[in-house]
Amino acid sequence: MRIVVFSENNYGCGASIAAYRLVKGLSKNNEVFFIYEKNRAKFNIFRNIKFSVWHLGKSTSIFKNSIFIGFNILSKLTKTNINRWFLFKVFYKKIKDFKPDIIHFHNTYFTHEQIAKLSENFPVVWTMHDQFALFLYNYKVIKFDGNEKVYCPINDWRRKFYDVDKLLNNNDANIVFTPPSQWLADLGKTVINGRKRIEVIHNGIDINEFFPIDKKKARTNLGLKNKFTFLFLAGTGAWERKNSIIIFKALKLIPDLDIQVVAIGSVTKYKFDDNRIINKGAVYTSEELREVYNSADVFCIPSVLDNLPNTVLESLLCGIPVLGSNKGGIQEMIINDKTGWSFDPYSASDLAIKIEFLYNHRDSIINKTEECRNSVINKFSEDKMINSYTTLYKELKKDQR
């Protein structure tokens, strides 16, 4: 089959990483055209690739680049959608030449009319990596003070260009939404209300990309001590949703616990005086991440809301159990007491109790490697993802005729 996969970013965020992994899997038996708008990769992700890649809105021609920049500036000055109109014209011409069987979106900001136009000629699959496609914002979370926080809501003046109801009510729009988690599917169904098809297809991962390696060696390479290690990935982007602060609060409740807490990423928003916390900075490649996960006894993901995080799959494939928030789709990825444990992300005491429990039972954790890996292989493998999407593509292609 000929498949266009469109992603807002080429790499660097969870949605784009999932899109990239899908493209790699699809390209084994299909002709894939990967299109993205923003270059966020910190390294060359396209080496030894078997698919075509195109950076929409970017050109080797200085003249064409000037046109793209001009339309972006004009859009901001006039508060119109003229830049999206122009990008779509370029995009539509390109894919018509490619003649795809399917267009697969992973985060997009085309208008409802543009998406409908595409779907009339090429069936559209839209993987919902967050709530945007149906709710016009990425996430809505409850903060610790009880107030709501909405991440990345669509600007009021743009709402007329992307109207969810007009897209869902368009009977000619051949589009299927594929949230990776049941949590997001259940939310989506309340909006779709039977007007379009929505189907859970889990994000998949190459089971050979992450795997167990010697823990002592991993710790030595990272300059860590050979002691109980608690790992989390920090970040200043969407930091309230990612909720790293709860880890620092929990550690204050167990000040005498002899552990080392490794933070990957930026924790500059937080002020902490706990010498057990070791900030190792940003990590990008799979090789580096393998070593980081394998250095840990437990990986913690404390998000107050998340969909189906890649980090959980990566940790489990390395044989490292997960202590995860019981909100969103995270709980769907963990088999309690076998591949991980859940906790209330609003409760520092609950997290502290869980950390202390795991420390006191650390000898039993090392026996969970096989269960952790099998949980991903059986449910979230690349093969399962590709088979599910291929089946869907064939159904849509058949219906389009």
Side-chain angles (χ1 to χ4, degrees):
M1 297 183 74
R2 298 168 67 86
I3 305 161
V4 167
V5 176
F6 180 90
S7 174
E8 182 194 10
N9 301 301
N10 65 339
Y11 209 74
C13 65
S16 60
I17 291 171
Y20 178 71
R21 287 173 175 166
L22 173 66
V23 166
K24 285 204 304 179
L26 286 173
S27 64
K28 293 176 181 177
N29 296 301
N30 302 277
E31 188 175 352
V32 182
F33 189 13
F34 182 38
I35 303 174
Y36 66 92
E37 277 195 59
K38 299 175 184 176
N39 183 1
R40 291 186 56 180
K42 303 294 183 180
F43 56 96
N44 181 13
I45 63 171
F46 299 122
R47 60 184 184 274
N48 302 319
I49 61 173
K50 295 181 179 179
F51 49 89
S52 300
V53 178
W54 181 45
H55 188 168
L56 175 62
K58 207 76 172 175
S59 173
T60 55
S61 164
I62 296 176
F63 175 71
K64 288 183 179 179
N65 270 338
S66 300
I67 294 176
F68 286 126
I69 293 169
F71 271 97
N72 282 333
I73 293 173
L74 186 60
S75 178
K76 291 178 181 178
L77 291 175
T78 60
K79 285 193 174 182
T80 63
N81 219 44
I82 193 167
N83 65 324
R84 304 306 304 174
W85 168 83
F86 181 69
L87 279 175
F88 181 76
K89 285 185 72 72
V90 176
F91 174 81
Y92 192 61
K93 182 180 184 303
K94 194 83 168 183
I95 63 166
K96 279 181 70 177
D97 292 339
F98 180 69
K99 298 177 182 177
D101 296 298
I102 295 289
I103 296 175
H104 194 146
F105 283 134
H106 290 260
N107 287 11
T108 179
Y109 297 102
F110 287 132
T111 71
H112 63 268
E113 290 180 340
Q114 291 167 345
I115 294 170
K117 181 179 179 180
L118 284 171
S119 70
E120 289 172 9
N121 297 286
F122 318 101
V124 169
V125 174
W126 191 341
T127 295
M128 297 171 57
H129 293 287
D130 54 35
Q131 295 174 247
F132 177 82
L134 298 174
F135 293 86
L136 303 183
Y137 54 77
N138 296 128
Y139 288 101
K140 182 185 287 185
V141 304
I142 305 299
K143 300 193 295 182
F144 280 89
D145 61 9
N147 294 317
E148 285 184 340
K149 166 102 177 186
V150 176
Y151 283 94
C152 303
I154 192 169
N155 294 332
D156 288 338
W157 65 271
R158 287 188 182 273
R159 287 178 178 267
K160 63 181 179 181
F161 299 114
Y162 183 69
D163 186 309
V164 174
D165 282 325
K166 286 183 178 179
L167 181 61
L168 296 177
N169 289 331
N170 187 334
N171 293 329
D172 294 325
N174 187 3
I175 180 169
V176 175
F177 297 91
T178 56
S181 68
Q182 189 63 51
W183 161 76
L184 189 51
D186 291 341
L187 275 180
K189 287 175 183 177
T190 64
V191 175
I192 290 177
N193 197 24
R195 290 177 287 178
K196 295 294 178 193
R197 180 176 172 183
I198 183 168
E199 179 178 331
V200 176
I201 297 183
H202 299 303
N203 293 335
I205 185 171
D206 182 350
I207 61 173
N208 297 311
E209 187 177 359
F210 291 89
F211 46 82
I213 61 176
D214 184 77
K215 194 174 297 295
K216 288 184 179 179
K217 185 176 180 181
R219 288 174 179 170
T220 299
N221 291 343
L222 292 170
L224 302 174
K225 296 177 181 177
N226 190 31
K227 62 193 300 185
F228 188 85
T229 304
F230 186 79
L231 170 70
F232 72 100
L233 272 64
T236 53
W239 67 275
E240 287 174 307
R241 181 171 68 84
K242 293 299 185 180
N243 195 32
S244 296
I245 189 68
I246 199 70
I247 293 176
F248 305 128
K249 290 181 177 180
L251 289 174
K252 288 183 178 180
L253 301 177
I254 43 176
D256 299 323
L257 205 64
D258 184 25
I259 63 176
Q260 58 187 349
V261 180
V262 177
I264 299 299
S266 172
V267 291
T268 54
K269 272 192 177 286
Y270 315 111
K271 293 181 180 179
F272 52 87
D273 54 3
D274 195 320
N275 58 16
R276 294 173 295 179
I277 299 171
I278 305 165
N279 185 8
K280 301 301 292 186
V283 173
Y284 300 107
T285 68
S286 296
E287 292 79 10
E288 292 173 311
L289 279 168
R290 273 200 302 268
E291 202 158 61
V292 167
Y293 286 121
N294 278 284
S295 71
D297 291 287
V298 176
F299 170 63
C300 180
I301 179 164
S303 306
V304 293
L305 196 59
D306 233 323
N307 184 9
L308 200 88
N310 296 303
T311 53
V312 174
L313 301 182
E314 293 163 359
S315 179
L316 292 173
L317 271 182
C318 289
I320 308 304
V322 176
L323 179 57
S325 158
N326 61 9
K327 305 297 182 183
I330 297 173
Q331 57 191 321
E332 300 172 32
M333 309 173 78
I334 299 171
I335 304 172
N336 199 42
D337 288 330
K338 292 186 177 181
T339 67
W341 308 266
S342 298
F343 71 96
D344 180 355
Y346 294 96
S347 172
S349 61
D350 186 24
L351 178 55
I353 290 169
K354 294 289 171 48
I355 295 173
E356 191 165 27
F357 171 83
L358 295 174
Y359 174 80
N360 291 330
H361 296 82
R362 55 192 179 277
D363 290 340
S364 64
I365 294 176
I366 60 175
N367 298 320
K368 296 187 180 294
T369 300
E370 188 173 350
E371 281 182 305
C372 288
R373 277 189 59 80
N374 285 340
S375 70
V376 178
I377 293 169
N378 294 335
K379 191 174 181 180
F380 302 102
S381 70
E382 177 187 278
D383 287 345
K384 283 191 171 293
M385 172 182 64
I386 299 304
N387 289 339
S388 295
Y389 275 121
T390 300
T391 299
L392 176 60
Y393 295 160
K394 289 178 179 178
E395 289 178 19
L396 294 177
K397 183 182 176 183
K398 183 179 179 181
D399 291 342
Q400 191 82 356
R401 292 172 181 169

